[in-house]
Amino acid sequence: MWLGLDSVPAPRHGRGMPHDHSDHDHPHALLPSDPALRVKALETILTQKGLIDPAALDEIIETYETKIGPRNGAEVVARAWTDPAFREALLEDATKVVSELGFYGRQGEHMVAVENTKDVHNMVVCTLCSCYPWPLLGIPPGWYKSDAYRARAVREPRKVLAEFGVTLPEDTSIRVWDSTAEVRYLVVPMRPTNTEDLTQSELVELISRDSMIGTGLAGQP
Amino acid sequence: MTRVHDMGGRFGDGAIVPETENAPVFHEDWHARALALTLAAGGLGQWNIDISRHARECLPPIDYARFSYYEKWMAGLAGLLVDTGVVTRAELAEGIGQGESVLTDKRLKAENVAGVLASGGPADRPSDIPVAFKPADQVRTRKITGNRLVDGGHTRLPLYAAGAVGRIVRIHGTHILPDSSAHRLGDGAESLYAVAFAASELWANPEHPKDEVVLDLWQSYLEPA
């Protein structure tokens, strides 16, 4: 298993565990101050030591730039809108359902789908870091990782939604999901009215990334 | 008792700046490189995800606050590489890797990237600890959120939810306990629950009487209420 939570060996040298440094003696302070040069320096050192294959880095970047993104999640939502048995199975065990569609993987090992209704609007945040369902939505946008969103989404979700141009009816309650563990949440937005005649692929076009985080609503045709 | 990353509910951060749906995934080439480098270095198997989160959280608060997102990742990675002896401080300072590592057989190859990303790393593990709560049970979180195993250690109970009463809405099964795993003290798996809290239980001035916040919390963070 890779990058997950399997037991890892005790390190060969050093303390092995993160610990507190002052801001002067932290190892990062040894690197160039310009962040682009800092990344370059780390890549160079690790490549020289035979620990990194730069072509593998290119492959990772290509994957998240072109192959894994919010379109995956939109396909899941569109199918949930059009196929009642699929919707029921998704709400029951999302991990199983999205795995069968090939959307399993890193940062999507334990999926839960939460459905918006007239009564409840769901919204997702990670106040402690930036947890996000990568296989379904890709790499999170900058605002999702920002201090402002992390700090405010749990305390004042309605003001946050207003900044995204979203106003909910007064009698709709909000459920904010703070992703504090390895469970990742996918919001199933409400299907817009007057979309009965649309095909599944036409519906996919209405399903934005933000609507699956809960900071947006599905678009109108 | 807490660290700078634990910012849920904090005041003073200003407005959120939404991005269009078609904005680039990476705004700078080095952002992409930083993410890929972090994933590939993780593949060397010298730390797990909890250790890597804690490495970022251990950045001095002044650095955590001034660094952009991927700068935090790079600083966390530099710390991990030194802490595990994979890279020396001298190598970082000189920008030159001195000799081949003993870990080269673990290097991630380009042809394995797709398979590795698709295989993931699940966090559920068997546990001997009996399940203590069921859906609809009332529970109270620890009043003090700190790690009980390691002073100043990693934990996933945010300060804003400390000492609050909520109700179990979902049981996720038994998951690795980050408080243990982040410090190489074993999986410590126990039941993980989604716990819903009324906004009025968490905030002085909740926006709406019916709003809730749901957190995923481990059994040892909770007691019956």
Side-chain angles (χ1 to χ4, degrees), chain A residues 1-23 25-28 30-31 35-36 38-39 42-46 48-61 63-65 91-92 104-107 109-110 112-113 126-131 134 139 141-143 145-152 154-160 163-164 170-185 208-210, chain B residues 3 5-11 13-21 25-26 30 32-37 39-40 42-45 47-51 53-55 58-60 62-64 67 69-71 74-75 78-79 81-87 89 91-93 95-104 107-108 110 113 116-125 156 158 160 167 169-170 172 175-176 183-184 187 192 203 207-208 210-216 218:
Chain A
M1 203 117 30
W2 191 75
L3 274 179
L5 288 144
D6 272 8
S7 300
V8 286
R12 289 161 196 277
H13 317 284
R15 300 176 47 162
M17 254 172 305
H19 54 276
D20 292 327
H21 295 270
S22 76
D23 56 335
D25 77 351
H26 192 285
H28 75 73
L30 299 163
L31 291 163
R38 201 176 309 162
V39 177
L42 277 176
E43 182 178 340
T44 301
I45 294 165
L46 291 171
Q48 286 168 340
K49 294 181 74 70
L51 296 172
I52 289 293
D53 174 5
L57 303 192
D58 296 338
E59 186 66 31
I60 293 170
I61 294 164
T63 300
Y64 288 113
E65 278 187 332
L91 296 176
E92 177 70 28
Y104 180 83
R106 183 180 160 74
Q107 286 299 312
E109 295 91 346
H110 307 281
V112 169
C126 172
T127 63
L128 296 175
C129 44
S130 54
C131 298
W134 289 15
I139 301 299
W143 59 260
K145 304 176 280 200
S146 69
D147 288 6
Y149 186 73
R150 288 168 56 186
R152 295 176 52 211
V154 283
R155 181 170 52 78
E156 47 184 13
R158 287 165 199 267
K159 286 198 186 70
V160 167
E163 286 165 28
F164 284 85
E170 181 54 29
D171 54 356
T172 301
S173 64
I174 298 183
R175 244 188 187 192
V176 182
W177 298 79
D178 188 355
S179 313
T180 43
E182 298 306 327
V183 180
R184 300 288 168 266
Y185 291 91
S208 64
R209 173 196 63 212
D210 290 3
Chain B
R3 286 183 183 272
H5 71 284
D6 182 3
M7 58 181 69
R10 187 172 77 180
F11 286 84
D13 286 289
I16 292 154
V17 185
E19 280 172 56
T20 59
E21 295 277 326
V25 174
F26 301 108
W30 70 265
R33 226 63 204 159
L35 176 120
L37 193 60
L39 297 192
L44 298 171
W47 53 81
N48 60 39
I49 195 164
D50 295 318
I51 296 171
R53 283 199 186 111
H54 189 55
C58 282
L59 286 173
I62 193 170
D63 288 335
Y64 193 96
F67 281 170
Y69 182 73
Y70 287 112
E71 285 182 277
M74 284 300 90
L81 289 168
V82 169
D83 289 342
T84 53
V86 174
V87 165
R89 294 178 68 94
E91 286 174 316
L92 289 187
I96 300 168
Q98 301 290 352
E100 198 160 85
S101 169
V102 295
L103 299 171
T104 54
R107 174 173 52 187
L108 175 64
V113 166
V116 154
L117 294 178
S119 65
D124 54 328
R125 294 287 185 280
R156 299 290 285 180
Y160 78 83
R167 70 180 197 286
V169 292
R170 210 173 177 118
H172 294 303
H175 280 229
I176 292 171
H183 302 282
R184 300 181 195 266
D187 289 347
L192 177 72
W203 315 116
E207 283 186 317
H208 190 286
K210 284 160 64 185
D211 287 353
E212 291 183 324
V213 181
V214 185
L215 293 87
D216 287 329
W218 280 262

